Amino acid sequence: MNRKTVSQAPIYVRDSLTRASRMASVQDFESAVDILVPIIGKHPDVPVLCDKLREYELEKLKTQGGGIKFAVKFCGFFKAIAARIVAGKDPIKAMAMCESNLGACVDSPAVLAALADISDNAGAPWCAVSALNVLCKLHPTPALMKKLADAMQRNGQGIDALKIHQDMIAKSSDKKNVDKAGLQAAMVLASIERGNFNDQRSNKKANAADAEDAIIQQLLDGTIHDADQAQLLIDRFSAELRRRDSVDMRRKMADAYMVAGKYEDALREYQTVAEKLGVLDPVLDKHIEKAYLAQLRLVADTIKANPEAYENAEAQIADLEKQIYDYRFEHVTMRAQRFPNDMQLQFDLGEFQFEFEMYDAAVATFTAVAENPQKRRGSLVYLGKCALIANDPEKAIGFLQEAVDDMPRMDRYKRDAMYYLGNAFEVVGNVEKAKENYRQILISMNNYRDVPQRMSALECAANE
């Protein structure tokens, strides 16, 4: 199996990594894992997928109870056997089976060991290293550490392998049983790595390329917001496109244009990519929409900032806002209709319907989407909001309480759900439960919306 960089992988792989990164940035590691598990099942040849997925799975593990961990370990023994059997005919499918199980709970020693062995046999040592790394963090033994060091050597990580050997020697009470052959091999590989690294450091051009590669990776992760850095990428991509046209390069160019605020150029590149693909890519269509709407909003903001300079400024702004609405409505509806099984696109439609007060339609959409486990919590929150607007606080409490109970971490999503749950409890006169929700919100963020004012009002009412 030949490893691939993110830039060599299909567009949707990069988009999935970006979405997962955004979920992780708000501490929603469960969603991050859910996004990456099906992707890595199809693309185990992209090492960064393995590394990121293991990172998010370990964070998710911190929120899981002992019952789940016990059940996963127990079932994992049988699932690992099944995966090893399948690996004889289809190692990629077997690896996907392991990844699916680890996505539920990564603390499954039998499945981690199976994934490591199957990956090694399939020529994917990076997957083996990622699995063994987790196994050694959770259940370290000398035998596993040695296995990890060997896998690292096969993956070209000589320096990392040498550190493990040295650590094992330092901790060993019996120096005679040191793995001398493994230690020597690691030392040789580490020496080669250091030599290559020193060669690169002495080469200024290589340093510049490394810096640009780092910036490109930030762009792919969605963490670049600096126009100057974006311009650096635009210059580089333009030069490369002059040498060889590439859909992926144009896609990166468009992303860089967006960061630089050059929305017209970004739209042109996104549309060129769409024409070359020849089929509707819903993620790409979202990018096209974002670029097009950014242009319209920029014009509207310019007029709003200095209306005296424009003839019929209010009419022009109203026309632009109508264009924005019409375009959004057309595209969010089209994507949902064309891809009825994509729950994210159905969720997007529900959010649009809620934003523009189409509450009956939003209820129908979110009721359907709530059947999907990955989108259930978010759908329940919106259903709760719709019930509040419809003056049915009891129903709102039912939806919102279920959503809150299923949210292990106090993040912006849980705060939002608890805020409306507190509102619903206020409406039905359950002051204590309202205050308890608001109190928990204030512990995590002491100036959230109007919660301080609501708490003060409830306290004053109680003292009267």
Side-chain angles (χ1 to χ4, degrees):
M1 187 185 300
N2 295 322
R3 74 180 74 207
K4 292 180 180 177
T5 62
V6 175
S7 61
Q8 292 171 324
I11 289 172
Y12 66 85
V13 173
R14 187 176 78 189
D15 288 321
S16 297
L17 274 167
T18 300
R19 286 172 53 212
S21 177
R22 287 173 182 162
M23 291 297 100
S25 69
V26 295
Q27 306 297 301
D28 187 356
F29 295 106
E30 184 173 352
S31 295
V33 169
D34 290 342
I35 290 169
L36 293 187
V37 165
I39 300 298
I40 198 172
K42 297 178 182 178
H43 296 280
D45 52 352
V46 183
V48 71
L49 280 173
C50 299
D51 296 336
K52 286 295 182 182
L53 182 54
R54 295 292 92 83
E55 175 188 338
Y56 300 152
E57 285 170 340
L58 284 170
E59 290 295 332
K60 176 183 174 181
L61 181 66
K62 295 176 183 178
T63 68
Q64 295 182 308
I68 293 176
K69 295 176 184 178
F70 176 79
V72 167
K73 286 180 184 177
F74 179 77
C75 297
F77 177 77
F78 303 100
K79 293 177 178 179
I81 293 174
R84 290 180 186 276
I85 293 172
V86 171
K89 291 185 178 180
D90 191 343
I92 304 298
K93 182 178 179 181
M95 291 168 69
M97 290 170 62
C98 292
E99 294 290 4
S100 179
N101 292 323
L102 295 174
C105 179
V106 75
D107 191 2
S108 179
V111 176
L112 286 167
L115 177 59
D117 292 340
I118 295 167
S119 301
D120 250 341
N121 293 333
W126 53 90
C127 289
V129 168
S130 75
L132 290 169
N133 247 325
V134 173
L135 196 50
C136 288
K137 285 180 180 178
L138 299 177
H139 308 282
T141 66
L144 282 176
M145 297 302 291
K146 181 182 181 307
K147 192 171 183 179
L148 172 58
D150 292 344
M152 284 177 166
Q153 286 178 229
R154 288 190 292 276
N155 196 42
Q157 297 173 246
I159 295 175
D160 293 330
L162 180 58
K163 288 179 181 177
I164 290 177
H165 279 290
Q166 290 172 335
D167 187 54
M168 290 172 65
I169 291 171
K171 293 179 179 179
S172 175
S173 58
D174 185 2
K175 306 302 182 184
K176 293 181 180 179
N177 290 328
V178 170
D179 180 13
K180 295 181 180 178
L183 175 62
Q184 186 173 7
M187 290 175 67
V188 171
L189 185 57
S191 178
I192 293 171
E193 274 190 82
R194 290 192 182 104
N196 289 339
F197 178 72
N198 289 333
D199 287 345
Q200 289 174 2
R201 289 191 64 181
S202 65
N203 188 324
K204 292 182 180 179
K205 289 184 179 180
N207 272 349
D210 288 344
E212 289 183 5
D213 286 339
I215 294 173
I216 290 173
Q217 187 57 52
Q218 286 179 292
L219 176 68
L220 302 184
D221 291 340
T223 56
I224 274 195
H225 306 287
D226 184 88
D228 291 335
Q229 288 185 326
Q231 187 58 52
L232 170 67
L233 296 179
I234 291 168
D235 294 341
R236 173 174 173 176
F237 296 153
S238 297
E240 292 191 20
L241 282 170
R242 285 194 291 271
R243 290 194 296 271
R244 180 177 64 87
D245 200 347
S246 161
V247 166
D248 190 58
M249 192 62 63
R250 287 190 179 278
R251 178 66 175 273
K252 292 182 205 172
M253 174 83 93
D255 291 347
Y257 275 136
M258 285 297 292
V259 176
K262 299 180 178 181
Y263 305 124
E264 185 175 353
D265 293 325
L267 180 62
R268 183 189 65 247
E269 294 298 338
Y270 283 135
Q271 289 176 332
T272 300
V273 171
E275 291 170 6
K276 288 180 178 292
L277 289 177
V279 294
L280 177 64
D281 177 341
V283 175
L284 179 59
D285 190 68
K286 282 187 181 183
H287 285 302
I288 291 173
E289 176 183 327
K290 184 177 179 181
Y292 179 71
L293 296 182
Q295 287 187 87
L296 296 182
R297 288 180 178 129
L298 183 61
V299 175
D301 289 343
T302 302
I303 297 174
K304 288 177 183 177
N306 190 19
E308 295 80 8
Y310 298 88
E311 185 177 350
N312 297 322
E314 289 187 6
Q316 288 192 55
I317 292 170
D319 181 62
L320 287 165
E321 289 176 346
K322 183 178 185 305
Q323 289 183 54
I324 290 170
Y325 172 85
D326 290 344
Y327 191 95
R328 287 184 63 192
F329 177 77
E330 177 187 352
H331 283 257
V332 75
T333 304
M334 176 270 293
R335 290 192 294 265
Q337 291 174 346
R338 292 281 296 274
F339 300 92
N341 296 322
D342 189 321
M343 289 300 104
Q344 180 60 55
L345 298 181
Q346 305 307 313
F347 192 87
D348 292 344
L349 175 61
E351 286 191 307
F352 178 86
Q353 291 165 337
F354 183 87
E355 179 184 347
F356 288 96
E357 302 181 3
M358 298 178 242
Y359 298 122
D360 290 341
V363 167
T365 300
F366 285 121
T367 299
V369 177
E371 296 299 316
N372 181 274
Q374 295 179 15
K375 291 297 174 186
R376 183 165 179 78
R377 287 178 298 185
S379 298
L380 288 172
V381 174
Y382 273 107
L383 287 170
K385 293 179 184 179
C386 289
L388 269 175
I389 291 168
N391 198 25
D392 192 345
E394 294 287 357
K395 182 181 284 188
I397 289 170
F399 288 132
L400 292 164
Q401 189 67 66
E402 182 181 347
V404 169
D405 290 344
D406 195 37
M407 295 177 174
R409 185 178 287 102
M410 182 62 80
D411 54 18
R412 62 191 179 100
Y413 301 107
K414 188 167 184 174
R415 278 191 289 270
D416 183 61
M418 293 188 76
Y419 175 78
Y420 289 104
L421 181 57
N423 291 180
F425 279 128
E426 277 194 74
V427 175
V428 300
N430 195 331
V431 174
E432 288 307 313
K433 286 195 174 180
K435 286 164 64 177
E436 179 56 30
N437 278 275
Y438 295 149
R439 194 176 294 114
Q440 290 187 46
I441 291 172
L442 292 175
I443 290 172
S444 66
M445 184 178 289
N446 61 14
N447 60 346
Y448 187 76
R449 299 191 188 180
D450 63 344
V451 172
Q453 292 78 13
R454 285 179 176 270
M455 278 291 285
S456 296
L458 292 175
E459 295 288 355
C460 290
N463 293 329
E464 289 179 357

